[in-house]
Each structure stands twice: as C-alpha cells, then as structure tokens.
Amino acid sequence: MKSNRRRDFLKSAGALGMGLFGAGHASSKSILPLEAQYGTSRNQQFNMCGYAAPKLETVRIGIVGLGMRGPGAVDRLSKIEGVEIKALCDLIPERAEKAKKSLEGTGHKPELYSGNAYSWKKMCDRPDLDLIYIATPWEWHTPMAVYAMEAGKHAAVEVPAARTLDECWQLVETSERTKKHCMQLENCCYDFFELMTLKMAREGFFGEVLHVEGAYIHDLLWLNFDKDTGYQNMWRLRENYRNGNLYSTHGLGPICQILNVNRGDQMDYLTSLSSNDFQMKKKAQELAQEDVFWTEFASKSYRGNMNTTVVKTKLGKSIMIQHDVTSPRPYSRLHVVSGTEGFAQKYPQPRVSKGHSWMKEEEMKELEKKYTPEIVLKVGELAKQIGGHGGMDFMMDWRLVDCLRNGLPLDQDVYDAALWSCISPLSEWSVANRSNSIDVPDFTGGSWKENQPVPITLAGGGTTNVRV
C-alpha cells in the first residue's frame, strides 16, 4: 500500500512539476518541493546498506551495452578470477560480435543477444546469470537494472543510475524487495588520490571535515557533436536539453563517502544555478548551415555551460558540485576536502595542507606511504597495467567481484545510486525556479543514522586473484 501511495503521489506531483519546470519564475507559493518531501517519511522495507548477499564462488555475468564503456568492461572482467562472462548484448549485432571476438583465448565463450531494443530482457531471463552489467545510454539504466533485479540478478549500472526521482525510488524499492544489489558503477570512488583522502579522513587527518567539493569539468563539446564516431543516435547530445547538473556522480561519490553520507550524515537540501548556454546552441546552428542533419538540434535549447549546485547536510556540512562539459578548460573533478585541521585538493595536482602552505614533495610521499588503502596495495599496480582511467575502473570491477565472491556488503549500495543520481532532477528543478532550495529525499528511510561507514579495509575479502 505504501508503494502504491508513493506512485499516486508522484503522479500528481509530476503533473504539477511540468508547470514548474516550464515557468522558471513561479511564485514562492507554487514551488513547494513536493516530490522531495516524500522521502522524509518513507518506511524502509529492508536495509540494503551493509547487506551481504550469499557468496558466489563464480560470478556469472551478462553485459549489456557494448558501445563506449562496455568493451572496456568486457576486457577488465575477463581478467578477474571467479568471473564467467556468459552473455553479451547490444542493439547492434556487429558490436556484440566484436566484443565476443575480443575474448578469444580467454576461456570465456558468451552467448550473444542483439538485433532489437529488448534483446536484453531475454538475456536477463537466463537462469544461469548472477550479475547484469549495464553500460547503455542513460535512459535505459533504471529499466534494465529494475528488470535484472526482478529476474533475480544483481545489477551493476553505469552512471547516472537514474534520471528522475521516480526512477531513483524504483531502484530503491526493487532492491529492498528482491534483496538484490544495485551498484552504481562510480569508478571515481576508486581513484588513487580519492581513496587516500578517504583513509585520511577516517583516521582524523582533516579533523572534522566541514566542506567538500566535487565536479565533472570536461571539454566534450567535440564529442557531443560527433555524429560519426560519437554516441548512438546522438543520445548524449539530446540529454543536454535538460538544464541542471546532468552528471554529478563522478565528483560527488568520493566526497559523499568522506562525509559518510547515507552512513552517519544525510543531505538535507540543495540549491542550484546554471549560467546561460554560450556554446551548444551556437555550435548546432553553425553546423546546421552546412548539414541538414543538424537542423533538429539547431532549434533546441541547451543546459548552461556551468552548473553549480550547493548542498547542506543534516549535520551542517556543505557540499559544492559543478558540471561543465562545454567550456574549453582543463579536465577537473575538483575533489576538495576541507576540515578543521587539514585540507586536500586534487586538481590541477594532488596537494595537501595543514595550514597556509602546501606540503612539500617529501611530506607528500610520507603521506602516501601512511594512507594508501589496502585495495591499492593489493591490486593498484595491476590495475594500472590493465587500465581503465588509470586503473580505477579495474579496481572498481575487482572490488565488486571480490565482494560478491566473499559475501561482503558492497562499497556502493542502492541508496548511494539513488542519492547521487537524484542531484540531476533536483538541480533541474532549482535552476528552473530561480535557484530556490529543494529538499533532498532520504532514500534510506532514516537508517542513515545507524548505517556504518564504507569500509576502507579488505577484511573478509581480498581473496580474488587477477589474470594478466
């Protein structure tokens, strides 16, 4: 009954929201953040934070989406002990065939699923799979993850796991009901410096952490407008019709773990502001003058170049998240950690301070020796060899498999997937309503007060070998 009431509520709130998103200047009386309010009183069916599913000696995997991210996952997973890649799926048959060919000589002999938009359902229905690994366009992430869990499989889904609040709740409710993991594949949580600062925070180096910053600043203007080798059917460009922080999780994931969000603290409310769009529409219009293919895109409005979203937590901490994938500037995820006793910042280079001055190179080396986590000591060098964003992709995949094989809770659970993803629709709402604040749902149903922080050791695990 509770679930049905939630859907009825969201349906009515969504009808109101359509007017809000289009207004942009609604009065304060008409912009009540109704969708966000539901989470404050939700009853949790089962707490997936800290949940350890039964051990899997062999993790049998089906991978769907073999365009941009999928092939790399196929390669990485094939090198992990205890993994059997049993199925590969893509809308385009040639991609599935190419991925299968890349596995020749590895012992993996997957069955292929392709040819129509719902081949993935047939794959998920197989009884001999344990995990569905999803690397498709964003609009398919939640439908596929939900279907996989309903079919009795764990789901690992690329970022963002969801695009709307309703999808966030679908993930949470399905995971709790089925007791199947839903892990958002946030690889940046496994970056070497991000992991080091997590251990530093846990061991008190920063004192009380009071402010953190994350971002996804990446000049992708060229890729978003690449019709030949870019994203299928220009789906990534079409996502940019929405105006907000569309890709929050890379910067947000690591700093949420540092603040113990969902595990001792919780987001309270946010406010978001976007600059105007100074490049995307202009680019589309310029291209349309030479190629009619771009006519459709020349008439659209796009998100602003820079979005800045600020979050206040229940314990009074502050979070800043930025998103800019258009402006010509160096790549950055910011990764700033500010505490009462110390400070760290990753970009433009990893630096740490205990006061007004940055630590010297010798001091940084000592910090690295002291605060390098076990996972880096165990597979860090192998991860660098295998690759995937400098090794963090492989450490993410290895850790996921090792947890499943040893019956350990995952580092990222469904509440993280929902919370980190919900920044997108909430920021859209705030931007459309003159940066008014909006409450952030509590997807844990209050259990954040007792949930334990993400572990930074390999206790109970670390037994999975790597084949190189």
Side-chain angles (χ1 to χ4, degrees):
M1 291 299 294
K2 182 70 174 177
S3 178
N4 291 336
R5 286 199 300 272
R6 185 191 74 79
R7 291 191 180 93
D8 291 342
F9 171 81
L10 285 176
K11 185 176 180 181
S12 60
L16 174 60
M18 290 297 290
L20 301 181
F21 275 82
H25 59 277
S27 68
S28 59
K29 292 183 179 179
S30 67
I31 57 174
L32 294 175
L34 294 176
E35 292 181 77
Q37 293 297 329
Y38 180 84
T40 62
S41 59
R42 175 182 171 273
N43 293 324
Q44 190 177 64
Q45 300 178 63
F46 178 83
N47 191 0
M48 291 298 293
C49 182
Y51 172 68
K55 295 181 181 181
L56 297 169
E57 182 176 347
T58 300
V59 183
R60 302 166 299 176
I61 302 177
I63 302 171
V64 54
L66 299 166
M68 288 285 189
R69 292 284 291 161
V74 172
D75 177 65
R76 296 189 305 270
L77 290 166
S78 72
K79 294 177 170 61
I80 302 175
E81 178 190 33
V83 163
E84 186 176 355
I85 300 175
K86 295 187 70 70
L88 297 172
C89 178
D90 195 272
L91 178 65
I92 301 172
E94 291 78 12
R95 287 180 176 173
E97 291 285 354
K98 184 178 180 180
K100 182 176 181 178
K101 188 173 180 60
S102 73
L103 291 172
E104 290 180 358
T106 66
H108 297 277
K109 298 178 180 179
E111 185 175 344
L112 302 185
Y113 296 82
S114 61
N116 70 73
Y118 292 94
S119 297
W120 57 273
K121 286 189 174 182
K122 186 176 181 182
M123 183 185 75
C124 289
D125 288 336
R126 287 178 58 148
D128 60 345
L129 294 179
D130 304 301
L131 173 70
I132 303 298
Y133 196 109
I134 301 163
T136 59
W138 301 348
E139 66 178 305
W140 291 100
H141 286 183
T142 294
M144 288 180 174
V146 167
Y147 192 92
M149 289 185 282
E150 295 281 14
K153 282 74 174 175
H154 300 299
V157 56
E158 277 285 0
V159 302
R163 296 166 69 249
T164 69
L165 281 179
D166 192 42
E167 286 186 341
C168 291
W169 285 112
Q170 287 178 45
L171 292 175
V172 169
E173 292 181 347
T174 306
S175 180
E176 289 182 354
R177 178 166 40 79
T178 62
K179 295 184 181 178
K180 293 298 177 182
H181 289 303
C182 179
M183 174 179 167
Q184 183 170 239
L185 293 165
E186 185 37 76
N187 54 352
C188 295
C189 289
Y190 298 88
D191 175 273
F192 291 77
F193 188 71
E194 270 91 322
L195 283 169
M196 187 176 89
T197 53
L198 176 60
K199 185 173 171 64
M200 292 166 69
R202 291 290 168 76
E203 297 185 15
F205 178 90
F206 300 109
E208 181 81 10
V209 177
L210 53 96
H211 174 77
V212 290
E213 298 176 10
Y216 188 66
I217 297 172
H218 192 183
D219 182 3
L220 295 176
L221 183 66
W222 62 275
L223 184 58
N224 276 322
F225 283 94
D226 184 347
K227 71 175 183 179
D228 298 317
T229 60
Y231 296 95
Q232 173 74 15
N233 194 34
M234 308 303 293
W235 70 262
R236 188 74 177 259
L237 179 59
R238 297 176 195 278
E239 290 287 352
N240 287 275
Y241 298 160
R242 298 183 291 134
N243 193 8
N245 189 322
L246 307 184
Y247 205 64
S248 61
T249 70
H250 280 345
L252 186 61
I255 56 179
C256 277
Q257 291 188 335
I258 285 173
L259 286 184
N260 294 328
V261 171
N262 282 338
R263 299 167 176 82
D265 197 0
Q266 186 57 281
M267 294 186 189
D268 192 2
Y269 61 90
L270 67 75
T271 184
S272 186
L273 179 146
S274 287
S275 72
N276 288 345
D277 164 38
F278 291 93
Q279 290 181 271
M280 296 198 80
K281 189 177 185 69
K282 179 180 177 182
K283 179 72 171 177
Q285 290 175 336
E286 290 173 351
L287 291 171
Q289 292 178 7
E290 300 178 2
D291 186 345
V292 294
F293 174 84
W294 298 104
T295 303
E296 168 193 352
F297 302 98
S299 64
K300 302 296 183 180
S301 295
Y302 295 87
R303 52 140 189 89
N305 276 48
M306 171 63 81
N307 174 273
T308 300
T309 299
V310 182
V311 183
K312 186 79 172 286
T313 76
K314 298 286 188 181
L315 298 186
K317 313 296 181 68
S318 57
I319 303 171
M320 185 192 79
I321 320 144
Q322 291 189 316
H323 175 268
D324 185 344
V325 293
T326 305
S327 305
R329 52 182 294 183
Y331 179 91
S332 176
R333 296 196 303 273
L334 294 181
H335 192 68
V336 169
V337 184
S338 182
T340 57
E341 298 177 16
F343 180 88
Q345 176 177 303
K346 178 167 182 178
Y347 294 88
Q349 64 184 38
R351 296 182 290 185
V352 176
S353 171
K354 276 287 191 179
H356 288 289
S357 302
W358 297 112
M359 287 186 169
K360 294 180 172 59
E361 184 177 352
E362 301 77 24
E363 294 174 297
M364 286 295 294
K365 288 181 179 178
E366 289 301 314
L367 281 180
E368 192 172 333
K369 288 181 183 178
K370 182 176 181 179
Y371 292 109
T372 296
E374 286 184 33
I375 186 173
V376 176
L377 297 174
K378 174 76 176 178
V379 296
E381 289 305 314
L382 287 171
K384 290 177 182 178
Q385 293 177 38
I386 294 169
H389 289 96
M392 63 185 184
D393 288 4
F394 180 78
M395 283 203 293
M396 172 186 68
D397 291 335
W398 178 86
R399 175 64 172 165
L400 167 60
V401 170
D402 190 63
C403 286
L404 292 175
R405 295 185 72 225
N406 287 285
L408 296 174
L410 303 188
D411 296 337
Q412 301 173 47
D413 58 38
V414 70
Y415 308 117
D416 299 318
L419 183 63
W420 303 349
S421 296
C422 85
I423 298 302
S424 176
L426 293 181
S427 66
E428 289 180 70
W429 184 93
S430 183
V431 167
N433 289 283
R434 297 179 61 83
S435 301
N436 275 274
S437 65
I438 183 167
D439 290 356
V440 180
D442 172 17
F443 295 102
T444 74
S447 68
W448 62 269
K449 298 173 184 176
E450 289 81 33
N451 291 341
Q452 295 302 303
V454 173
I456 54 173
T457 73
L458 297 178
T463 60
T464 300
N465 294 320
V466 179
R467 297 188 289 264
V468 292

